[in-house]
Every structure is written in C-alpha cells, then in structure tokens.
Amino acid sequence: MPGTSFFHQARNNARSNHRLYGVCQKLTDGELASKRTPFSASILETLNHILTNDWYYLDALVDGRRGRACLDTEMPFGAIDKLAAAQRDADMRLMAYCEQLNDKDAIRAVELVREDGTKTLETVADILSHLFVYQTHQRGQVHALLAVTGQAPPILDDYHLEYDAPMPSFDFSALGRKGA
C-alpha cells in the first residue's frame, strides 16, 4: 500500500531532520550564517529553503490555498530554534498526511503552480517521491557544510530497518512518536 511506504519515508525524513537540527542548534550564529563555498547558501539559508519547500508541497497536497506564497519569504526564520520547531511541525504534518494515505489518494492529481506561473498536474505519489528526494539532497548539502564547522555531521543514512530499530527509537521519542 503506498501510504505505508510513504509513511515510512516521512518518518525517516522527520528523524533525519531531527538529527540534523540537533547538530545545527549547537552551531554559533556565525557558523550558521557563513557561506562556505561560492555555490552554496549558508546552513541557515539551506534549512529555511528546505522548510519553505515543505510548506509549498504540503499546501498543494492538503488544500492548495497558499500556493507559491509559501515560498515568498526565503528566510522566514533567522533563529535556529524557531526554525527547528517549524520544521518539526512540518514533519509531523507530513507524517500524519502520509499515515492516512491510501491507494486512491496516491494517484489523485494535484495542481502545482510553478515559478513562471504555469500550472502542472502531478500525482500525490509523484509529489511525495520528489519531496523526499529533494529533502535528502538538501540535507546532504547541510551535512557537507557541517563538515567544516566544529560539529560532526550526524548519521542520516540508517533507514528504519529492523536491524536499526533500537537506534532511532530515541529520535522518535523526541519527536513525540513511537518508532514502530
């Protein structure tokens, strides 16, 4: 069933974000804002970018009322603690959405308004698949930027397998969810 698969991905996504923010919240303001390479945003800018894109896709999946307005502010949060709380909220909403997803919902067409104003129809399953890949890529960018700070990047690649079950249980408890 697609909902089960997407729920597992949403759960892993939330856990990875939780781990990443756990490290990022230990950084100084200077480390968060520093542009480390000529082609990348700062850690704080990248984390805000992840969140605003989550808002955009979640909005489209749920009701589509805000549309591209979700992306109007590139840096809605300048403080890492408030940004972490907003990301946690988005992750919980995404998990709840995926938990109730069924086969019929997964093939439902959703309208997305693109940057140039064009509208495209995409399935819920395609949007979710895109969102999880996008999140993984953007977290990888932050992970790489963390490597040149005083904080060790967290482990993000242990997907929720039975073998890994004891490891992420703390993360899920911290998120207010059970690991199973």
Side-chain angles (χ1 to χ4, degrees):
M1 171 173 257
T4 303
S5 174
F6 286 122
F7 174 69
H8 286 287
Q9 289 180 63
R11 184 174 58 182
N12 187 63
N13 185 66
R15 181 175 45 97
S16 294
N17 283 335
H18 172 73
R19 286 181 175 181
L20 191 63
Y21 274 92
V23 172
C24 290
Q25 287 178 295
K26 296 175 185 175
L27 298 173
T28 66
D29 289 343
E31 288 174 313
L32 283 167
S34 178
K35 295 195 185 224
R36 307 213 178 266
T37 65
F39 60 86
S40 71
S42 69
I43 290 171
L44 195 60
E45 287 170 324
T46 304
L47 292 172
N48 271 282
H49 179 73
I50 292 169
L51 177 64
T52 58
N53 276 273
D54 280 2
W55 287 345
Y56 171 70
Y57 288 112
L58 275 168
D59 176 75
L61 292 168
V62 176
D63 60 21
R65 289 188 218 160
R66 291 191 61 215
R68 295 211 53 90
C70 296
L71 304 169
D72 283 350
T73 305
E74 289 182 27
M75 288 278 294
F77 297 97
I80 189 69
D81 59 332
K82 291 183 180 179
L83 178 57
Q87 183 64 64
R88 188 175 308 111
D89 177 61
D91 291 342
M92 295 300 107
R93 288 178 37 226
L94 182 58
M95 277 198 300
Y97 178 84
C98 290
E99 194 167 29
Q100 57 79 37
L101 197 63
N102 62 40
D103 289 343
K104 188 176 177 181
D105 294 331
I107 60 170
R108 178 175 58 90
V110 174
E111 183 178 83
L112 293 176
V113 179
R114 296 307 187 179
E115 191 172 7
D116 63 1
T118 60
K119 296 177 181 178
T120 62
L121 288 178
E122 306 288 350
T123 67
V124 167
D126 287 342
I127 290 171
L128 288 171
S129 294
H130 169 76
L131 181 58
F132 293 126
V133 168
Y134 188 77
Q135 276 260 0
T136 301
H137 169 76
Q138 294 298 327
R139 275 193 305 267
Q141 297 296 314
V142 174
H143 200 268
L145 293 171
L146 278 171
V148 294
T149 69
Q151 297 295 323
I155 295 170
L156 300 178
D157 65 345
D158 58 337
Y159 195 78
H160 185 74
L161 299 174
E162 287 302 316
Y163 173 79
D164 298 322
M167 250 190 323
S169 63
F170 171 77
D171 294 329
F172 291 125
S173 296
L175 291 168
R177 302 275 311 205
K178 292 184 179 178

